[in-house]
Amino acid sequence: MLVTPAAILIGAALLEALLPWPARFRLGATVPLLTRLGHRVHRPDGSPRQQSQAGLLALLVVWLPCAAGLWAVRNLSLSEPLFDLLFLLLMLESQPLRELAKATRALATKETLVVARLQTSPWLKRETGALSVMGLTKAVSEGCALRLVGQWAGPLLGFALAGVQGALLWRLAQLMNQGWSPKQAGFAHFSRPAATLYQVLCTPAILLLALPLCISQLRQLGSRLRLALHWPYPAMGCLLSLLAQGSGCRLGGPRYYQGQLVRFPVLEASGEPTASTPQRLLNRLQLIGWGWLTLALLLTVLEQVRG
């Protein structure tokens, strides 16, 4: 049982939650390198179609060598289960999100608002200079919840479905979507292939995280999801809508990207987000994820007992 995929999933998630991991060794540190690669590959003076083709080429240039190298190294490893455990541990990255949520809780006050804006700006990929305390906590709440899907839930689901190659694909899609963010004007067309891949891969992970939230909100589910479908990423909008209703905190609304006002749907709830909202949303999503992991382990144990 110790070498089953379910045991590897739980082992990697536990180690990632407990072991300190220096920031320079995390995969998130590769985002500036991907951004630099994107600026070299794409042509700002090209047509939208040419920029999208360049984005697809860059995606393949990043993914294919990584997948081939992973296959070769895994075949040379002395213990494939141990290699899988360590590799999946490398793919997971929820600690920085918990640290950001904890720092926001401490700094989201009128006295330290300027410091909080500076700290969260690189994470949010949006203008934070004019955000109030409530606006900042709302932005961090949305960012932490959505990033947890790509940095934690997605790689776990990818490993469950396709082993280490699945975990690699899920995490690379998240990193490329972050490095070539559609929120940046220069990557508006170049980022489309990576953004589309990221949306497709995130959808099953979002459905699993949203299912327990749906069960507790069946009466208002239709109206909540109808509004969330107008979100740029409909599946992510649905998850945020369910979280907003479940936590009683209003999310969504207008925001500024590159000096331009962009209006997102307002996900109504009974109250406004507070400094503790990002941490509460992260805890709720990870609790749901741990529930699915525990269920997978129990099913594995029952299958082996019957066998």
Side-chain angles (χ1 to χ4, degrees), residues 18-306:
L18 298 176
L19 294 180
W21 202 252
R24 62 181 179 276
F25 296 132
R26 294 170 178 163
L27 283 184
T30 63
V31 171
L33 299 177
L34 289 173
T35 303
R36 195 179 309 166
L37 174 65
H39 283 299
R40 289 188 176 183
V41 173
H42 97 292
R43 295 175 53 190
D45 57 341
S47 65
R49 182 177 180 181
Q50 290 175 333
Q51 293 187 35
S52 296
Q53 291 174 345
L56 178 60
L57 176 62
L59 188 155
L60 295 175
V61 166
V62 172
W63 172 57
L64 290 178
C66 290
L70 174 61
W71 175 81
V73 174
R74 188 174 186 269
N75 286 338
L76 295 175
S77 64
L78 298 178
S79 173
E80 289 188 355
L82 179 60
F83 178 86
D84 292 351
L85 175 67
L86 296 177
F87 183 80
L88 183 57
L89 174 61
L90 178 65
M91 295 294 103
L92 303 180
E93 197 171 345
S94 68
Q95 277 193 19
L97 301 178
R98 294 196 300 270
E99 293 169 0
L100 176 64
K102 186 176 180 181
T104 302
R105 183 173 185 176
L107 296 175
T109 62
K110 292 183 179 180
E111 292 76 15
T112 57
L113 180 58
V114 175
V115 179
R117 289 170 177 169
L118 293 174
Q119 185 176 27
T120 58
S121 180
W123 289 87
L124 301 177
K125 299 290 185 180
R126 57 189 276 192
E127 296 180 14
T128 60
L131 289 179
S132 63
V133 173
M134 184 194 68
L136 185 70
T137 55
K138 181 190 295 186
V140 174
S141 299
E142 295 174 6
C144 286
L146 297 182
R147 281 208 182 188
L148 186 72
V149 176
Q151 298 180 191
W152 190 76
L156 289 172
L157 179 61
F159 182 85
L161 296 177
V164 291
Q165 291 289 353
L168 174 68
L169 178 60
W170 253 262
R171 190 61 208 277
L172 281 181
Q174 186 268 336
L175 291 171
M176 289 186 289
N177 181 73
Q178 186 178 345
W180 309 327
S181 175
K183 301 174 183 177
Q184 302 179 32
F187 289 145
H189 301 287
F190 178 83
S191 62
R192 284 182 180 176
T196 302
L197 176 64
Y198 182 59
Q199 292 181 50
V200 171
L201 293 179
C202 279
T203 300
I206 289 175
L207 292 177
L208 289 176
L209 292 175
L211 182 58
L213 299 172
C214 292
I215 295 175
S216 61
Q217 304 177 36
L218 288 177
R219 292 183 179 180
Q220 299 178 338
L221 187 60
S223 60
R224 292 291 171 187
L225 297 185
R226 194 178 304 114
L227 180 63
L229 291 177
H230 295 286
W231 201 268
Y233 291 2
M236 293 182 176
C238 292
L239 178 63
L240 289 178
S241 180
L242 294 171
L243 286 172
Q245 180 64 20
S247 62
C249 299
R250 185 180 292 109
L251 299 176
R255 66 278 318 271
Y256 281 93
Y257 294 118
Q258 306 295 324
Q260 295 183 351
L261 178 63
V262 181
R263 297 189 180 276
F264 281 34
V266 178
L267 308 176
E268 294 290 347
S270 58
E272 299 292 349
T274 63
S276 62
T277 300
Q279 205 164 11
R280 288 194 291 116
L281 295 187
L282 278 179
N283 291 340
R284 177 168 295 191
L285 288 177
Q286 287 201 290
L287 183 62
I288 294 172
W290 277 106
W292 286 114
L293 292 176
T294 304
L295 178 61
L297 184 61
L298 290 176
L299 292 177
T300 302
V301 172
L302 290 175
E303 182 180 357
Q304 291 196 351
V305 170
R306 290 181 179 180

